[in-house]
Amino acid sequence: MNTKDQALLSLGRELQAYDYRFTTITPTSHHRVNARPESAVSPLQREFGWSRSFLPTELPPKVVALLHQAGELRFKDGFLWSNVRFSNLGEQLFVHSAFPTDASDSVFFGPDTYRFARALRHAVNDLPPAASFSIIDIGCGSGAGGLHAAAVLNGRVAADLILSDINPKALRYSRINAALNGVPNVRTMQSDVLGSINEGAHLIVSNPPYLVDRSARLYRHGGGDLGFELSVRIVEESIDRLYPGGMLFLYTGTPVIDGVDHLLAALRPLLEGRGCDYTYEEIDPDVFGEELESAPYDRVDRIAVVALTIRN
C-alpha cells in the first residue's frame, strides 16, 4: 500500500475504534432520507454513511486529517465532503464510493451486496472441508463477496483469495478492505473476467452488474441488449476453472418477458450441453422497478435477482 492507502486503512480502523456502524440502502431511499430535515444521527454516520457535507470542527481532528491524507477529502462551497463511505456487513467494515455513485469508476455497495452475501453464506456452508482452498471473486467491487466468503469459511479452511476487477479503484478499496477486516492471503488482480488469471479455484463467486446503464458505469452496466451479457461470460469462462469438487456461485439479475427468464434461456444450452450439475433459484422477483419505465426495459415485465450454483 502507498501512503494514501495506509491513511484510508487507518481511517477505517479509527471508525472501528469508535464502534461506527452503517447499513447502506438503495440510492432512491438514500436520496429520500437526505431530503429530510437533519436527523440526530452521529456526525460519523452523517458524513461517512449518509455522505453529507460537514465542517472541520464536526469530526475528530484525526479523522479529518486521515481523510485528507487518503486523498478522499474535497472542498465545495465552504464545506467539506468525503469521497468515500463506510458500510457494515455483519462484523466486517467496507470502504466504498460516496453517494451519489455517478462517476464511471464508482465502487458500489448496497442492498444487492447484502442479498449476495446472505445467499453466498448459505451456499458455502455446503462445501466439504479441504486441506487447501482457493477463492476467486470476479468483478469484486469492494471485495465484499470474496472477503465475506473467506470469513464464513474461517475455522474450516484457510483460503487463498483472489479479488479481481477491471476497475483500479475497486482493487484499491478491496486491498484496504482485506487489511481492515484482517483477511490474510489476499491478492488483487486487474482482469476482465478471468482473462488475466492463469489459475483455477475451489470456489468462484461473482455479483456482476446486470443492467443496461446509459452512462456505462462499470459497477452497473452488464452489457448486451438486456444487461446479462457479462453474467453469461462469467459462466462460460468459469466452468473449466473449477477444481474437482469446486463450485461457482453467481448472483445476478435477469429480465423476465412474458414469463420467460431470458438469462436462464441463454444459459440452459451451455449448462445442459456441458452436463453441469447446477441449481438456479429466484431470490427476489422484482428489483429496479423504475427501469421498466424506459428502454430497453419498457418491454420487460420484471427484473428478478437469481442465484446460479454450479458444482464440479
Side-chain angles (χ1 to χ4, degrees):
M1 291 188 185
N2 59 31
T3 302
K4 289 184 177 180
D5 293 348
Q6 291 287 354
L8 191 52
L9 172 59
S10 296
L11 174 59
R13 288 174 173 162
E14 194 72 9
L15 293 180
Q16 287 175 324
Y18 278 104
D19 196 27
Y20 167 93
R21 299 197 67 83
F22 188 80
T23 298
T24 298
I25 55 180
T26 66
T28 300
S29 295
H30 192 123
H31 178 77
R32 287 170 176 157
V33 172
N34 273 357
R36 297 172 183 170
E38 286 290 325
S39 58
V41 298
S42 74
L44 291 174
Q45 286 182 325
R46 190 170 68 243
E47 276 71 81
F48 292 111
W50 295 110
S51 295
R52 297 173 185 168
S53 63
F54 62 98
L55 297 171
T57 54
E58 293 184 274
L59 293 180
K62 185 177 181 180
V63 169
V64 178
L66 287 171
L67 188 60
H68 178 68
Q69 292 167 21
E72 301 290 1
L73 181 67
R74 71 183 189 274
F75 300 83
K76 181 181 177 182
D77 300 329
F79 291 92
L80 306 179
W81 302 76
S82 171
N83 290 329
V84 293
R85 274 185 289 181
F86 285 84
S87 297
N88 296 94
L89 175 59
E91 296 306 310
Q92 294 178 310
L93 183 66
F94 292 86
V95 61
H96 55 103
S97 297
F99 175 85
T101 49
D102 293 333
S104 61
D105 64 346
S106 292
V107 179
F108 189 77
F109 191 106
D112 254 349
T113 312
Y114 296 108
R115 285 189 290 254
F116 173 43
R118 183 174 61 252
L120 177 58
R121 183 167 61 251
H122 291 303
V124 300
N125 281 335
D126 294 334
L127 288 168
S132 61
F133 200 87
S134 56
I135 306 171
I136 299 175
D137 184 351
I138 299 173
C140 65
S142 67
L147 294 171
H148 185 67
V152 171
L153 290 167
N154 185 32
R156 294 170 52 194
V157 294
D160 292 311
L161 172 60
I162 294 176
L163 300 173
S164 73
D165 207 293
I166 60 173
N167 182 359
K169 183 180 288 186
L171 297 177
R172 181 197 181 205
Y173 290 170
S174 291
R175 284 192 296 271
I176 292 165
N177 287 330
L180 182 59
N181 292 294
V183 180
N185 306 318
V186 177
R187 287 176 285 162
T188 57
M189 298 183 66
Q190 188 166 8
S191 181
D192 182 4
V193 188
L194 291 171
S196 300
I197 301 174
N198 299 316
E199 55 195 277
H202 297 92
L203 175 64
I204 299 176
V205 305
S206 186
N207 172 18
Y210 54 78
L211 295 171
V212 174
D213 184 58
R214 284 180 287 276
S215 300
R217 287 168 289 184
L218 295 176
Y219 75 87
R220 187 174 167 89
H221 188 58
D225 293 338
L226 289 168
F228 59 81
E229 182 179 88
L230 179 57
S231 296
V232 175
R233 277 190 59 206
I234 290 169
V235 175
E236 289 174 335
E237 295 188 26
S238 298
I239 290 175
D240 291 330
R241 297 294 190 93
L242 289 174
Y243 293 152
M247 182 173 74
L248 166 67
F249 182 82
L250 174 70
Y251 170 101
T252 188
T254 179
V256 179
I257 304 174
D258 295 331
V260 177
D261 178 330
H262 280 248
L263 172 62
L264 181 58
L267 287 175
R268 186 176 279 127
L270 169 67
L271 297 172
E272 296 183 355
R274 297 289 298 274
C276 292
D277 176 12
Y278 74 94
T279 59
Y280 187 92
E281 178 185 8
E282 188 172 289
I283 295 175
D284 192 323
D286 179 21
V287 295
F288 295 105
E290 67 275 10
E291 296 292 331
L292 306 184
E293 297 178 0
S294 57
Y297 296 106
D298 52 357
R299 57 191 175 94
V300 171
D301 300 331
R302 59 191 177 92
I303 302 169
V305 165
V306 297
L308 170 67
T309 305
I310 300 176
R311 291 176 174 82
N312 193 6

